[in-house]
Amino acid sequence: MSLLALVAALVPGIAYASGGKGAEVTAPQAKGGHQDQNLTVETKIQTTVNGAQETAKTGSLTPANSNWDPPACWYEPAYSPKQIQATVKAFRQMKTFGIGDFVGGVFDSYFKEGNPYKNYNLDKQGEGQFWAAAINEKRKDEPEANSCDKLPFWVPTGDTPKEPLAVSPKILAEYAYDELPVPSTEIKMAPEGTTKVNLPTWAWLDKAKFKKVSVTASIPGSGLSATTTAEPMSLSIDPGTKDAETYPASGACPIVNGKIGAPRAKGTPGDTQPPCGVKYLRSSGDGSYNLQATLTWKISWTSTTGEGGDLPPGEFGADQQVAVEEIQSINR
């Protein structure tokens, strides 16, 4: 068990990013926590949803690129010199097995005795902050959450840390990626619910429901802000059986004139091929086929610094049950 994990186990109220009961070790603006042998901080990042979809069912995107994920941790402004001093003092007050003095001694060596900081940098109060590791709550159990293993380090006001994992407009944009609320991918179909063998079934998305949505992530007082935007790009259909054909053959329905697919107009001949849809070649019997509809979203970002660009596309899908019946024929 790591040093701070042992401390947390013995004194569960002293240093929790999850907000457990007990005294906070720092002032309210820098809630303390721990990750292995490091001091962490509950993130100050705030998010605002712009253009939220009017639907009760929303979900989070999964990156289409399996080699990329939003950040699991980063460093951000966290502790003033007085807050670091208060943190170490709080540890020293723990008397169980003498561990308070031991932990306090470790931190005093780093923050007070010149290895590398002297007297908690109290002479620089108001001139900067100690930046500390923050853990993405959604990804706290991932191995990458342990990547931010440095103790809090000093950054003068206005300076940009050289640390690659220091919070930046791009990290804020990637964090916002995780917060995008996209609507459940439930497609409209004609015929609806039950279709017939060898009858083209039309599929489309409700245009009013699938619009751009964006999330702005910022750290108050830092001047850093980034907005990440998701825009529908294409719809992929998996019929749920090999005994089927999709329209188009790839199963990927692109956006055409701002629409994905189209409703079947009244009077359209039954054998007309739809721009987006499926044709089942075999009955589902007494059951149904599990059709999977996955919408791919194009992701881009902008920021207050002028930086911006694209992030990996995201995917979000849903299953729908489709019953397929044989066409009844009458022999004369």
Side-chain angles (χ1 to χ4, degrees):
M1 179 180 287
S2 68
L3 174 62
L4 286 181
L6 179 59
V7 171
L10 293 173
V11 188
I14 208 70
Y16 266 73
S18 58
K21 295 181 180 179
E24 293 286 355
V25 297
T26 60
Q29 64 265 35
K31 295 180 181 179
H34 71 88
Q35 181 80 357
D36 290 333
Q37 296 185 28
N38 190 19
L39 285 174
T40 63
V41 63
E42 183 177 300
T43 185
K44 298 178 188 175
I45 296 177
Q46 296 181 356
T47 57
T48 303
V49 179
N50 315 296
Q53 311 299 314
E54 294 182 0
T55 174
K57 296 181 179 179
T58 60
S60 300
L61 292 171
T62 298
N65 180 353
S66 60
N67 295 319
W68 183 89
D69 279 307
C73 72
W74 55 87
Y75 298 98
E76 65 179 67
Y79 299 100
S80 70
K82 289 183 179 180
Q83 289 174 322
I84 282 293
Q85 183 185 40
T87 300
V88 177
K89 181 179 179 180
F91 275 115
R92 283 200 177 279
Q93 290 174 348
M94 296 184 298
K95 302 303 181 182
T96 307
F97 304 131
I99 200 167
D101 286 336
F102 176 69
V103 174
V106 171
F107 289 146
D108 270 345
S109 175
Y110 182 82
F111 291 111
K112 182 181 180 182
E113 297 169 3
N115 296 307
Y117 303 107
K118 292 184 178 181
N119 199 29
Y120 315 105
N121 273 9
L122 288 173
D123 60 332
K124 298 180 181 179
Q125 179 73 24
E127 299 177 12
Q129 284 184 292
F130 285 97
W131 286 42
I135 310 299
N136 188 338
E137 185 66 22
K138 290 184 177 180
R139 303 183 180 276
K140 62 183 179 180
D141 295 325
E142 297 179 3
E144 289 76 15
N146 296 312
S147 299
C148 302
D149 56 1
K150 294 181 179 180
L151 280 168
F153 53 89
W154 180 256
V155 179
T157 300
D159 281 10
T160 300
K162 296 181 181 180
E163 166 58 48
L165 291 177
V167 71
S168 64
K170 187 173 183 182
I171 285 180
L172 288 174
E174 293 172 343
Y175 178 85
Y177 187 116
D178 244 357
E179 301 297 315
L180 286 164
V182 293
S184 177
T185 311
E186 186 173 348
I187 59 176
K188 300 285 188 179
M189 302 180 72
E192 183 179 0
T194 300
T195 188
K196 304 293 184 181
V197 171
N198 292 321
L199 175 68
T201 299
W202 293 52
W204 67 96
L205 290 177
D206 184 340
K207 185 178 179 181
K209 186 177 178 182
F210 293 89
K211 298 180 179 179
K212 287 183 180 180
V213 61
S214 65
V215 168
T216 298
S218 60
I219 295 183
S222 71
L224 294 178
S225 177
T227 297
T228 300
T229 301
E231 181 179 5
M233 186 165 65
S234 64
L235 175 70
S236 297
I237 295 178
D238 182 344
T241 174
K242 294 180 179 179
D243 295 316
E245 297 176 358
T246 57
Y247 305 100
S250 65
C253 305
I255 289 182
V256 178
N257 297 325
K259 300 178 182 179
I260 297 181
R264 186 174 65 184
K266 187 176 181 179
T268 301
D271 59 354
T272 302
Q273 293 187 1
C276 180
V278 61
K279 179 170 70 176
Y280 287 97
L281 307 178
R282 187 184 297 272
S283 166
S284 60
D286 294 331
S288 58
Y289 292 121
N290 188 39
L291 181 145
Q292 295 177 312
T294 302
L295 188 61
T296 299
W297 297 75
K298 178 182 178 182
I299 312 296
S300 59
W301 67 282
T302 58
S303 70
T304 51
T305 62
E307 297 175 78
D310 293 328
L311 294 173
E315 297 177 337
F316 186 62
D319 298 346
Q320 293 176 232
Q321 301 303 309
V322 181
V324 182
E325 299 176 343
E326 294 282 0
I327 297 177
Q328 300 299 319
S329 59
I330 299 176
N331 295 322
R332 294 183 181 275

